[in-house]
Amino acid sequence: MRGADTFTESPFTLHRLEDFVPADHPLRPIRQMVNAALGKMDDLFAAMYEAHSKGGRPSIAPEKLLRAMLLQVFYSIRSERQLMEQVQYNLLYRWFIGLAMEDAVWVPTVFTKNRERLLEHDAVIELFNHVLQSADKQGWLSGEHFSVDGTLIQAWASHKSFVRKDGSDGDQGDGSFKGQTRSNETHESSTDVDARLYRKGKTASELRFMGHTLSDNRHGLIASAVVTRADGYAEREAAKVMARDARQALPDAQTALTLGADKGYDAQEFIEACLAMGVTPHVAQNTSGRRSAVPDAIARTDGYAVSQQKRKLIEQGFGWAKTVGGIRQVMVRGLERVDQMFVLTMAAYNLTRMRTLGQIRLQGQ
């Protein structure tokens, strides 16, 4: 018998949001890890709102704000407005963020304003660090063997915004720049002054930033992430900073630390800087018409061969960040905001990897 096309709704319900989320949903273990990290940030959150306390209505809880920002990364949601629309009717999103079914959804502009407060106090970096500490406690980090690489991030700015710094732009009025010489020394983007015109390899010249990560070789988890302005030296300079931080984090100064990288890092000054820091450079040798700066004594070791295999894991983080996390072209402007989104995306990537590693561990028991 055909059922009637009717809709009746009870004025009351006894269901909880918890009832609508399957027990094996992949967000469940991630939410547990996120909540554990957020629980360690209570002092930071208290200081954030004490510094801005002016009375009035309570703002968005920072824990909810960070969980909502992570959702935006996990589900490739391009804008705060779209995120707020989804939270309005998506029970899974409400459950993950910590909003009850009857709670009002935030206005997108209020959400964006509160996100700026997180940027001011480096809350995203703090979250990233606590997630990484959790991975270390689980034994998923070697803490000694790393790989480094960089990737291009397209800025939220067009070629038309790239005008002369002195205001005497020769734009022909139709958006054409044919016959004009433009460079970062004489021009800058009026939309995003931190973006730089840059090309790498066979890619077209675009307004870009450069994202850098340091990955741990044991399972490919991201141990450090940072965004810089795009130029020909940014990759090696960022690598030196991240390698130095990793070196200083080791409790024993005598512990060997290795750093894998591709041929782009095979430069004399970079190899010498690594050795001076006590870091063994497992950099791929570039012998195309030149002599490699990597000593043959290092390149012949078994550890070097292992690093060359493991360093490819870092590309998985970049691939995930660009296809899922929306880092291929960011929808925020300014170096600090792009850096915040990049670090948050890498924290989200680590959480997905840690969830998988946890499942493998359970299956092996």
Side-chain angles (χ1 to χ4, degrees):
M1 183 177 69
R2 177 181 176 183
D5 183 18
T6 60
F7 176 77
T8 57
E9 188 174 22
S10 173
F12 303 101
T13 180
L14 298 178
H15 289 286
R16 301 175 305 160
L17 280 175
E18 186 79 18
D19 300 330
F20 294 97
V21 182
D24 59 348
H25 197 281
L27 279 183
R28 282 193 177 274
I30 289 178
R31 192 175 192 273
Q32 291 178 357
M33 291 185 287
V34 171
N35 287 346
L38 293 175
K40 300 174 184 177
M41 298 171 61
D42 191 63
D43 291 342
L44 173 64
F45 294 148
M48 283 171 49
Y49 287 86
E50 182 179 353
H52 295 83
S53 179
K54 297 180 181 179
R57 295 188 298 178
S59 60
I60 301 174
E63 296 90 344
K64 290 182 170 63
L65 181 61
L66 282 166
R67 284 193 289 261
M69 291 171 66
L70 284 170
L71 270 181
Q72 193 171 354
V73 176
F74 289 138
Y75 288 94
S76 309
I77 302 173
R78 294 290 290 168
S79 68
E80 286 81 4
R81 188 170 299 279
Q82 185 183 18
L83 174 64
M84 296 302 100
E85 178 186 344
Q86 290 281 335
V87 174
Q88 181 70 42
Y89 53 77
N90 193 315
L91 297 182
L92 175 66
Y93 289 5
R94 283 180 173 265
W95 168 82
F96 187 86
I97 293 171
L99 290 175
M101 280 189 277
E102 64 272 12
D103 286 343
V105 179
W106 313 303
V107 177
T109 52
V110 175
F111 182 88
T112 304
K113 183 178 180 181
N114 278 265
R115 189 182 63 188
E116 292 296 305
R117 185 174 296 172
L118 297 179
L119 175 64
E120 181 181 345
H121 293 270
D122 292 331
V124 169
I125 296 176
E126 190 78 6
L127 174 65
F128 178 92
N129 291 336
H130 283 301
V131 169
L132 196 65
Q133 289 173 10
S134 176
D136 191 26
K137 289 181 180 179
Q138 296 292 330
W140 293 329
L141 300 177
S142 70
E144 302 172 11
H145 307 293
F146 299 93
S147 296
V148 68
D149 205 353
T151 189
L152 297 178
I153 302 172
Q154 190 170 344
W156 192 241
S158 69
H159 274 290
K160 293 182 180 180
S161 72
F162 198 60
V163 296
R164 286 190 174 274
K165 296 179 181 180
D166 58 10
S168 60
D169 194 57
D171 185 6
Q172 302 169 8
D174 58 355
S176 173
F177 302 98
K178 185 176 181 180
Q180 297 183 35
T181 300
R182 301 193 299 163
S183 70
N184 292 312
E185 286 71 28
T186 57
H187 291 64
E188 69 179 6
S189 171
S190 59
T191 304
D192 189 341
V193 296
D194 291 325
R196 293 292 182 269
L197 195 66
Y198 186 75
R199 63 174 296 176
K200 184 178 180 181
K202 297 181 180 180
T203 62
S205 184
E206 300 282 354
L207 287 168
R208 290 172 164 140
F209 293 92
M210 189 170 283
H212 315 269
T213 59
L214 182 79
S215 71
D216 187 275
N217 284 354
R218 179 166 292 174
H219 292 293
L221 293 171
I222 305 302
S224 184
V226 68
V227 169
T228 65
R229 294 180 178 89
D231 63 51
Y233 303 95
E235 284 188 288
R236 292 195 293 269
E237 291 303 314
K240 286 188 283 187
V241 172
M242 292 188 291
R244 186 179 299 111
D245 291 343
R247 172 79 265 179
Q248 294 174 351
L250 288 174
D252 185 0
Q254 302 302 318
T255 303
L257 189 150
T258 65
L259 184 67
D262 60 32
K263 293 181 180 180
Y265 294 82
D266 186 3
Q268 189 67 39
E269 58 86 19
F270 179 74
I271 302 301
E272 291 177 353
C274 287
L275 293 172
M277 288 186 289
V279 176
T280 304
H282 285 179
V283 177
Q285 289 185 308
N286 184 4
T287 56
S288 300
R290 63 188 290 271
R291 183 176 180 179
S292 172
V294 181
D296 290 336
I298 293 177
R300 286 194 294 265
T301 62
D302 293 337
Y304 180 87
V306 173
S307 290
Q308 290 304 300
Q309 293 178 338
K310 287 288 189 177
R311 70 177 177 83
K312 299 174 183 178
L313 288 173
I314 202 170
E315 297 293 345
Q316 296 181 12
F318 289 146
W320 189 92
K322 290 189 174 184
T323 57
V324 178
I327 291 297
R328 185 179 301 277
Q329 181 178 31
V330 289
M331 293 188 67
V332 292
R333 297 188 175 106
L335 182 62
E336 290 187 341
R337 294 184 182 88
V338 176
D339 181 71
Q340 181 190 51
M341 293 308 300
F342 186 70
V343 173
L344 181 74
T345 301
M346 289 306 168
Y349 172 73
N350 280 347
L351 287 165
T352 60
R353 291 282 295 160
M354 291 162 63
R355 177 201 64 202
T356 303
L357 292 171
Q359 291 173 342
I360 294 173
R361 175 175 291 177
L362 287 174
Q363 291 173 2
Q365 291 178 352

